[in-house]
Amino acid sequence: MKKTIFVICLLGTFAAYVHAQSKVKCFDFGWKFTNQEITDGQSVSLDDSKWKSIDLPHDWDISHSPVANAPTGKGGGYFPAGKGWYRKHVKDSELNVNEGETMWLHFEGVYQDCKVYVNGRQAGNHFYGYTPFKVNITPYICKGMNTIAVMVDNSRQPNCRWYSGSGIYRHVWLETYDKNKMDDPQKLFIRTERIFGISADGTHADSAAVRVTYDNQLDETRMLRNVELWSPDSPKLYDIKVGELTVKHGVRTFSYDAKKGFLLNGQPTLINGACVHHDNGVLGAMAFDAAEIRKVRLMKEAGFNLIRTSHNPQTRAMLDACDSLGMMVVDESFDGWYSEKNPYDYHISIDSCYTEDITAMVLRDRNHPCIISYSIGNEVIERKDIRVIHTAGKFKNVITSLDNTRPVTEALCAWDSDWEIYDPHAAVLDIVGYNYMMHKAESDHERCPERVMWQTESYPRDAFANWKHTVERPYIIGDMVWTGLDYLGESAIGLWHYENEPRDEHWQAEHFPYHGAYCGDVDLTGWRKPISHYRDMLWNVEEGAADVYLAVREPDYYVNGHVTETMWSVWPTWESWNWRGWEGKDIEAEIYTKAPKVRLYLNDKLIAERDVNIDTQYKAVIKLPYQPGILKAVSVDANGKEMAESTLRTSGEPAAIRLTPDRKIISANGQDLAFIYVDVVDKDGNIVADADIPVTVSVKGQASLLAAASANLKDLEPKTSPNVTTYKGKAIIVVRSGRKAGKAIISATMPKENGSKSTSLTITCK
């Protein structure tokens, strides 16, 4: 049966969220923190003057080095977790509540199992670390100074299969509500009931009927005229006023079925998706809006049009970015259900929490146009228990009672020969998620011809096969690779192994000091790996286009011995023509293009010409003896005319550090970030792609150092340290703005053996 969904949305950024609601205040600044053993951290009389002064968001794990015997283990990235206390002292003038009003603390995310105290009395608690919650503090406020205390207990380990972080890692807001006014955005639901006169290209419509409901107080339909429709290519958003709220919305429609596939605004659309965890790499779990926006932008630039929030709800800011940048989303609730994957995961509290957590996710997220589906789970252990069908149904019912405008999915899998037995479970779902099971698609389609499928996880190396599956079979509407970004935890997944390293898969052995995942298309610094360029070319480049990309496969037995791949890895391939010691030996250039031919030149000499087409999987692999110089790939049209080129150059010795900021001006609000790319370059400015050099970072002026790290997942230097060793010639620096306008000077210095040269960069905080 064909299903058509119309939705419209709210949007807020850090600044816009405050602006839209005059009774919402940022509560991130001026906290005290300790993770020492404290038994009475809620006590008003407790002396916290020697505790560390911090501003939120905060993750205490990321400031530590991974340690082999850490309680989080390989899944959590070998970080310490434990317990922590936060305290904040607030004058009653900041907590002034008028008659008929209530005051709430709104926590966007605390990991995990926290208790909230006001003036020594417990005002609330929350278990799940990935959903927002609010605590009514009105009954506990007193005259004079008030003490807010939050105890976070992440000591029961392991509880997560990836890096969770520890602490109040998302924003906190102080909110005042009057029950007689429309000032709670979670009660507001805006959706488009009908769109009239959609243009042939799906970009515009004559008008749209928008239904606005607010709890039981408002239910009205508004008409929008001359509408620009929301899509990843044109993410148009409109302002709309509802009571005291000024919010943004986007108008779009989609449908899906097994015959026509997925249609967005009436246009056939292939879903090229990325699974993305909640962490921000070198920042750990700290969810600064600027980091969340950058995460989405990196995925957009890598060619993806959908993010699956694996395996939990992510932040409001991340969804806001998806709305404004144009990124569809599968909004996922849980990793596991009643049967444990880890001893202290969600199964220990699921019965008491699932309704609250699903409700929190849907009420917060249902006004985002980016969200095209909710997911209720991922590879649940109890899949062979008949009761799993009931569980899936009750989770789906919670969602549809709050939002029936989107399909519900779940990521199913099989670790043995059983698969068809899950048909009754799949039947609960509107779209069936396949984790690494797309080889079952054709036989499933014969058995269940109306089933709509998407691959909710796939191996990076299967990029071509999964693209081809989706292009050729309308009942497969998309693919979501594991993963879009490298992440902390799930240590060693996606890595190849050299001599003297364990050859097992990541779950079969300890691979310390590896403390993160290398299966992403984009690494921890934001560098796009060759597999990212290949995947982007497959999904987004037209046949015959000039685009061409060149990389080089690391020779087997080069320096570190024999290379062994793992299930989620691809062969180590680099944008490098620096292969010292390999002169005269064969090496392979890998070229991606949808042009009909490609030529490879070395030092202006033609090495080879190859035909490129769907039969070659739009790539050419050319073997040649290594010789330093300039390697160049050129795309060639059907008439033999050369079009575009991609070049790699052998560099000289490291001579300097080059600093390149993503922005030169950031907001002086204490929350904005600048990401500064670090490149080791030779005297001519060429990146030295094999340079692993220690660098010392300093930040002076109206900003502070938040992180300095590389993509090397064996480097045990804390990510927040000013000391970083480049990896393949690259690293990243992250600075946080202060709350005063002015300049910030960021410096990076190489050691004496490299000339002890220092490079500085100035950014403006305003």
Side-chain angles (χ1 to χ4, degrees):
M1 179 181 296
K2 183 175 179 179
K3 303 179 182 181
T4 303
I5 294 99
F6 301 98
V7 184
I8 211 166
C9 100
L10 297 172
L11 177 77
T13 63
F14 178 78
Y17 185 70
V18 178
H19 174 74
Q21 303 172 70
S22 59
K23 297 186 178 181
V24 174
K25 297 179 181 178
C26 176
F27 211 61
D28 285 347
F29 300 104
W31 290 81
K32 292 283 191 174
F33 168 75
T34 185
N35 57 357
Q36 296 180 353
E37 195 67 31
I38 299 291
T39 57
D40 57 349
Q42 76 275 20
S43 173
V44 174
S45 60
L46 178 72
D47 181 4
D48 57 22
S49 60
K50 295 183 179 180
W51 290 19
K52 184 178 180 180
S53 296
I54 60 104
D55 296 325
L56 306 177
H58 180 249
D59 169 13
W60 75 70
D61 274 336
I62 199 60
S63 62
H64 293 266
S65 297
V67 178
N69 62 353
T72 59
K74 58 189 174 188
Y78 303 102
F79 286 88
K83 297 180 181 179
W85 279 94
Y86 296 83
R87 286 166 62 93
K88 182 179 171 79
H89 304 288
V90 188
K91 295 179 180 178
D92 60 349
S93 57
E94 297 182 54
L95 303 175
N96 185 32
V97 181
N98 297 318
E99 186 176 350
E101 292 182 335
T102 55
M103 180 164 284
W104 301 72
L105 284 178
H106 174 189
F107 294 85
E108 291 201 21
V110 180
Y111 204 92
Q112 77 171 354
D113 192 9
C114 73
K115 294 180 174 64
V116 180
Y117 300 88
V118 181
N119 294 322
R121 300 164 63 192
Q122 185 172 334
N125 63 279
H126 190 75
F127 175 78
Y128 194 35
Y130 296 116
T131 46
F133 63 98
K134 296 184 181 184
V135 176
N136 185 355
I137 64 172
T138 314
Y140 309 99
I141 298 171
C142 67
K143 295 287 186 181
M145 190 66 72
N146 289 261
T147 300
I148 312 293
V150 181
M151 192 278 287
V152 183
D153 186 353
N154 196 23
S155 63
R156 292 184 291 177
Q157 293 291 339
N159 62 44
C160 193
R161 295 190 302 118
W162 56 89
Y163 178 87
S164 66
S166 297
I168 309 178
Y169 69 101
R170 296 178 181 172
H171 295 305
V172 180
W173 306 91
L174 185 66
E175 302 178 354
T176 304
Y177 293 119
D178 185 330
K179 63 181 180 180
N180 296 318
K181 294 182 179 179
M182 292 183 295
D183 51 7
D184 184 350
Q186 290 193 350
K187 295 180 179 179
L188 181 66
F189 190 18
I190 308 177
R191 62 273 197 199
T192 300
E193 292 191 316
R194 191 171 180 184
I195 301 177
F196 303 91
I198 297 179
S199 62
D201 62 1
T203 61
H204 295 78
D206 293 337
S207 60
V210 178
R211 186 177 179 186
V212 180
T213 57
Y214 181 85
D215 211 7
N216 295 319
Q217 301 177 45
L218 175 68
D219 190 346
E220 65 181 29
T221 299
R222 303 182 186 182
M223 294 299 297
L224 300 178
R225 309 290 182 184
N226 299 319
V227 179
E228 293 183 47
L229 300 180
W230 186 96
S231 72
D233 292 333
S234 181
K236 176 64 177 179
L237 298 167
Y238 291 90
D239 287 334
I240 186 171
K241 289 185 176 294
V242 182
E244 295 184 357
L245 298 176
T246 299
V247 298
K248 293 185 179 293
H249 68 272
V251 182
R252 56 102 176 103
T253 174
F254 67 82
S255 64
Y256 57 93
D257 63 30
K259 293 182 179 180
K260 295 182 179 180
F262 182 81
L263 304 180
L264 179 63
N265 299 326
Q267 304 301 303
T269 302
L270 300 179
I271 291 175
N272 176 28
C275 298
V276 175
H277 275 318
H278 79 292
D279 73 293
N280 279 303
V282 301
L283 300 182
M286 292 186 288
F288 291 88
D289 287 21
E292 301 289 272
I293 293 167
R294 177 177 181 265
K295 178 160 55 181
V296 177
R297 190 179 71 246
L298 289 174
M299 294 294 88
K300 183 82 173 180
E301 291 171 350
F304 294 109
N305 62 9
L306 178 140
I307 288 173
R308 174 187 175 216
T309 68
S310 48
H311 303 290
N312 50 263
Q314 296 193 17
T315 65
R316 166 197 51 79
M318 182 265 194
L319 295 177
D320 289 345
C322 290
D323 286 344
S324 60
L325 295 176
M327 180 69 70
M328 295 181 288
V329 173
V330 173
D331 200 7
E332 192 154 271
S333 55
F334 310 124
D335 181 32
W337 294 348
Y338 285 93
S339 295
E340 69 178 64
K341 295 181 178 180
N342 275 324
Y344 299 104
D345 63 17
Y346 195 70
H347 83 278
I348 66 175
S349 62
I350 185 170
D351 267 331
S352 61
C353 291
Y354 79 84
T355 300
E356 174 188 358
D357 290 324
I358 294 175
T359 299
M361 177 184 76
V362 176
L363 290 185
R364 185 197 64 175
D365 298 349
R366 62 186 178 177
N367 289 308
H368 288 274
C370 61
I371 295 173
I372 64 166
S373 177
Y374 297 109
S375 171
I376 55 176
N378 172 69
E379 298 182 353
V380 297
I381 299 298
E382 63 266 40
R383 54 186 167 275
K384 292 189 178 181
D385 187 331
I386 193 66
R387 290 174 292 183
V388 76
I389 301 169
H390 171 72
T391 303
K394 72 179 182 181
F395 287 1
K396 180 180 180 181
N397 289 340
V398 177
I399 290 173
T400 56
S401 70
L402 302 166
D403 180 5
N404 63 1
T405 69
R406 294 172 171 91
V408 173
T409 192
E410 182 191 337
L412 306 184
C413 72
W415 298 333
D416 51 29
S417 59
D418 291 329
W419 172 253
E420 290 77 12
I421 65 170
Y422 304 130
D423 279 356
H425 187 172
V428 176
L429 308 172
D430 301 309
I431 303 175
V432 182
Y434 284 53
N435 278 14
Y436 314 103
M437 297 300 299
M438 204 45 71
H439 58 281
K440 290 286 189 178
E442 289 187 86
S443 58
D444 285 3
H445 180 63
E446 292 178 4
R447 189 177 68 256
C448 308
E450 292 188 357
R451 180 182 294 180
V452 180
M453 317 168 189
W454 47 21
Q455 189 159 220
T456 34
E457 289 182 27
S458 66
Y459 297 114
R461 66 159 60 93
D462 292 340
F464 177 81
N466 293 322
W467 167 79
K468 194 167 183 287
H469 270 303
T470 306
V471 168
E472 295 178 347
R473 297 166 178 84
Y475 53 87
I476 303 173
I477 63 173
D479 176 67
M480 303 166 208
V481 68
W482 191 268
T483 55
L485 284 162
D486 284 352
Y487 56 94
L488 300 177
E490 205 162 2
S491 303
I493 185 175
L495 281 155
W496 55 89
H497 300 305
Y498 295 115
E499 298 284 354
N500 303 317
E501 292 183 334
R503 299 301 175 105
D504 307 278
E505 295 292 336
H506 65 282
W507 75 87
Q508 295 173 323
E510 297 292 331
H511 294 276
F512 188 84
Y514 289 117
H515 55 277
Y518 201 72
C519 50
D521 276 20
V522 179
D523 75 12
L524 291 184
T525 68
W527 177 70
R528 291 180 61 190
K529 303 173 190 176
I531 186 64
S532 170
H533 293 274
Y534 181 55
R535 193 184 319 279
D536 185 16
M537 183 269 300
L538 287 173
W539 292 86
N540 298 307
V541 176
E542 296 293 329
E543 192 85 23
D547 307 57
V548 64
Y549 174 83
L550 170 66
V552 176
R553 292 167 60 92
E554 181 176 318
D556 201 8
Y557 293 98
Y558 179 75
V559 180
N560 295 310
H562 177 52
V563 174
T564 301
E565 286 199 68
T566 56
M567 292 173 66
W568 280 267
S569 75
V570 296
W571 190 270
T573 306
W574 309 101
E575 293 176 354
S576 174
W577 197 234
N578 283 15
W579 301 98
R580 293 175 177 85
W582 204 254
E583 288 79 5
K585 298 180 182 180
D586 282 345
I587 194 168
E588 291 181 318
E590 196 159 281
I591 307 165
Y592 314 140
T593 186
K594 280 191 174 176
K597 292 180 182 293
V598 66
R599 292 172 184 156
L600 182 68
Y601 295 89
L602 177 58
N603 297 327
D604 294 326
K605 178 183 178 181
L606 179 64
I607 300 297
E609 179 176 295
R610 294 284 190 272
D611 292 333
V612 182
N613 49 53
I614 194 169
D615 294 330
T616 71
Q617 301 187 5
Y618 297 111
K619 67 170 66 171
V621 179
I622 300 173
K623 185 180 295 184
L624 71 160
Y626 173 65
Q627 177 185 340
I630 300 174
L631 189 69
K632 180 172 68 175
V634 181
S635 59
V636 181
D637 69 14
N639 298 316
K641 181 181 178 181
E642 294 190 348
M643 298 186 289
E645 66 179 49
S646 178
T647 301
L648 298 174
R649 186 185 304 267
T650 305
S651 70
E653 294 299 316
I657 295 291
R658 183 169 63 210
L659 301 179
T660 307
D662 66 339
R663 292 182 296 157
K664 292 185 177 180
I665 300 174
I666 59 178
S667 298
N669 58 9
Q671 292 281 356
D672 208 359
L673 307 180
F675 291 82
I676 299 157
Y677 297 96
V678 180
D679 293 313
V680 181
V681 297
D682 66 11
K683 61 182 178 60
D684 297 319
N686 301 305
I687 295 176
V688 186
D690 56 352
D692 299 344
I693 293 178
V695 174
T696 301
V697 178
S698 69
V699 180
K700 298 179 180 179
Q702 300 304 322
S704 59
L705 178 66
L706 200 57
S710 75
N712 183 1
L713 293 167
K714 293 177 70 175
D715 188 348
L716 298 179
E717 185 74 22
K719 311 297 184 201
T720 55
S721 165
N723 302 311
V724 56
T725 300
T726 62
Y727 178 65
K728 305 295 183 182
K730 296 178 178 295
I732 190 85
I733 299 168
V734 188
V735 300
R736 178 178 187 170
S737 67
R739 301 176 74 184
K740 294 181 180 179
K743 304 290 185 181
I745 301 172
I746 300 93
S747 300
T749 305
M750 294 194 298
K752 291 181 179 179
E753 55 265 33
N754 295 103
S756 192
K757 294 182 180 179
S758 181
T759 302
S760 295
L761 168 76
T762 300
I763 63 172
T764 301
C765 302
K766 61 182 298 184

